[in-house]
Amino acid sequence: MRIAISTGGGDAPGLNAVIRAAVLSAINRGWEVLGIKRGFAGLLGADEVIPMTKETVRGIGHQGGTILRTTNRGNPFCYPRRRTDGTVDEVDRSDEVIDNARERGISAIITIGGDGSLAIAQRLFEKGMQIIGVPKTIDNDVNGTITTFGFDTAVTTAIEAIDKLHTTAESHDRVLVLEVMGRNSGFIALHSGVAGSADVILMPEIPFHIDKVCEKIMARDRVGRHFSIVVVAEGAFPDGGEVHMIGESLPGQAKRVGGIADGLAREIQSRTGKECRSLVLGHLQRGGVPTGYDRLLAARFGGAAVRAVEEGKWGHMVALQSPHLVTVPIIDVLREPKRVDPMHDVVQTARSLGISFGD
Ligand code: F6P
């Protein structure tokens, strides 16, 4: 048995722990393991395919990033191709991926990625590839699993930022707006905002009204709380308005969400007269060592992925449905993206604590 592992899309703390667990679980079964570098680029001649041994994964369980590298511009079904005149178009190279895997004697692939990589996995599965998915994203927006590794680390980083912003906001009687990641989901904002005692949380699932946000800030001011912390998900938008996008994307790359914090801070300052500053936490949320929770979840996913290969669960994704690790068909996971339920108990509790969602 020879299997291969690849990591695709944006990185997330815990990827190396999945790789380590999958490699060791496979080698301890007497299997051979290959690592496809940079998504599927290694199978398209744009990067390497390397042998994975116990030595390759020694000491990586606690490290952020991915030793296999990754890309969010590597969809083999629309792979960027630079023409001789310098322009770029997209071509379907999925057959090459499948042929090259077959030529290398790879009988199964474990692909670790978010919704984009899982959609690629589903299409490769439909073309006959024996593939297992492992959900990965700091955004926690993959359906079928209670959570994804990387999310807890990102939330922890955001909470540390909120804690630090609290002290300086209070010293200066300022409103501080912290923009966190999540693309079109508000899990990072909600969880870090509640755990970090934010005053306002804005997220895509609950479109906000700027006057309600300002009302909350001024209500605090009137009772002597002259500072406020606003946590805004990058994908949040005003009721009737649109999601803020960041400039141009590179060829083959999904449109990027973000940049709402600055305008929001200026709007709050002009409406309330209170001094307001903003901070975009950005890729700090994707870096650093995974938390203990994420390391364990990642290790469980890696081990479960190898068991799924053993059982021939092709086209399935490993998932946490507490307390169990299960497998679910990737096609079911892709039916709709996971979003915060506005009636979820965390939202209800936040409201009971006096946190405003700007609605
Ligand atoms: O999906 C993970 C994520 O970090 C999102 O939260 C964010 O919108 C996006 O990736 C950023 O992508 P990039 O690394 O391409 O800027």
Side-chain angles (χ1 to χ4, degrees):
M1 180 70 144
R2 178 182 291 162
I3 67 164
I5 303 178
S6 83
T7 54
D11 67 349
L15 276 168
N16 280 327
V18 180
I19 295 170
R20 176 175 178 273
V23 168
L24 294 181
S25 304
I27 288 176
N28 288 334
R29 280 168 167 78
W31 302 354
E32 253 183 79
V33 189
L34 299 176
I36 306 166
K37 298 220 31 205
R38 229 160 19 99
F40 288 105
L43 286 176
L44 291 171
D47 211 317
E48 296 171 289
V49 176
I50 55 166
M52 302 291 281
T53 62
K54 287 189 179 180
E55 201 51 46
T56 327
V57 298
R58 193 180 302 282
I60 66 165
H62 63 287
Q63 287 174 5
T66 160
I67 59 166
L68 290 177
R69 317 283 297 277
T70 188
T71 175
N72 56 13
R73 289 184 285 143
N75 185 342
F77 290 91
C78 41
Y79 204 78
R81 174 181 62 178
R82 190 167 290 278
R83 292 207 196 93
T84 42
D85 64 1
T87 58
V88 178
D89 63 356
E90 291 175 351
V91 281
D92 182 352
R93 297 185 64 186
S94 56
D95 286 336
E96 264 177 82
V97 167
I98 292 169
D99 292 345
N100 287 344
R102 197 171 294 136
E103 269 166 33
R104 288 173 184 272
I106 296 168
S107 38
I109 291 184
I110 294 175
T111 176
I112 314 167
D115 48 2
S117 305
L118 291 166
I120 295 167
Q122 175 62 25
R123 291 181 74 182
L124 289 172
F125 165 66
E126 284 165 9
K127 290 186 107 174
M129 187 174 260
Q130 304 199 138
I131 199 159
I132 300 291
V134 175
K136 164 247 55 164
T137 164
I138 64 160
D139 304 337
N140 190 29
D141 60 353
V142 175
N143 251 320
T145 184
I146 286 172
T147 190
T148 46
F149 65 87
F151 174 62
D152 186 62
T153 308
V155 168
T156 302
T157 299
I159 292 170
E160 281 168 11
I162 296 168
D163 288 349
K164 288 180 176 166
L165 292 178
H166 255 114
T167 58
T168 177
E170 186 157 14
S171 307
H172 285 266
D173 292 347
R174 281 176 173 161
V175 177
L176 287 179
V177 177
L178 175 70
E179 178 177 316
V180 296
M181 282 185 164
R183 212 183 292 267
N184 300 110
S185 71
F187 291 101
I188 298 177
L190 177 65
H191 287 222
S192 65
V194 173
S197 308
D199 306 296
V200 178
I201 298 173
L202 305 177
M203 51 186 199
E205 293 85 349
I206 305 179
F208 67 88
H209 296 263
I210 188 70
D211 48 338
K212 298 275 182 194
V213 174
C214 295
E215 233 172 76
K216 169 71 187 174
I217 291 165
M218 294 317 288
R220 281 175 54 76
D221 207 58
R222 283 193 295 276
V223 295
R225 308 296 280 163
H226 301 300
F227 71 98
S228 284
I229 302 291
V230 178
V231 176
V232 58
E234 60 183 4
F237 55 91
D239 201 7
E242 287 186 0
V243 176
H244 204 280
M245 306 301 290
I246 302 175
E248 290 295 308
S249 301
L250 291 169
Q253 192 174 48
K255 288 214 175 331
R256 293 168 63 213
V257 171
I260 186 177
D262 183 45
L264 186 65
R266 277 190 275 119
E267 183 82 22
I268 294 171
Q269 179 163 305
S270 80
R271 284 173 180 249
T272 62
K274 293 195 66 65
E275 196 176 13
C276 204
R277 296 279 194 277
S278 67
L279 173 74
V280 179
L281 198 52
H283 291 83
L284 279 178
Q285 293 157 99
R286 293 234 303 259
V289 298
T291 58
Y293 182 89
D294 277 341
R295 283 185 219 184
L296 177 63
L297 181 61
R300 292 176 75 190
F301 277 176
V306 169
R307 291 196 296 280
V309 170
E310 201 165 40
E311 291 161 18
K313 296 244 174 108
W314 314 125
H316 279 60
M317 176 191 92
V318 299
L320 179 68
Q321 290 180 6
S322 296
H324 303 294
L325 262 204
V326 299
T327 59
V328 289
I330 295 174
I331 191 136
D332 291 347
V333 170
L334 295 175
R335 266 184 238 290
E336 53 176 344
K338 185 164 81 181
R339 297 287 180 256
V340 173
D341 172 3
M343 291 311 292
H344 194 277
D345 79 84
V346 181
V347 178
Q348 290 189 44
T349 296
R351 290 191 193 279
S352 307
L353 293 173
I355 295 172
S356 165
F357 287 92
D359 60 340

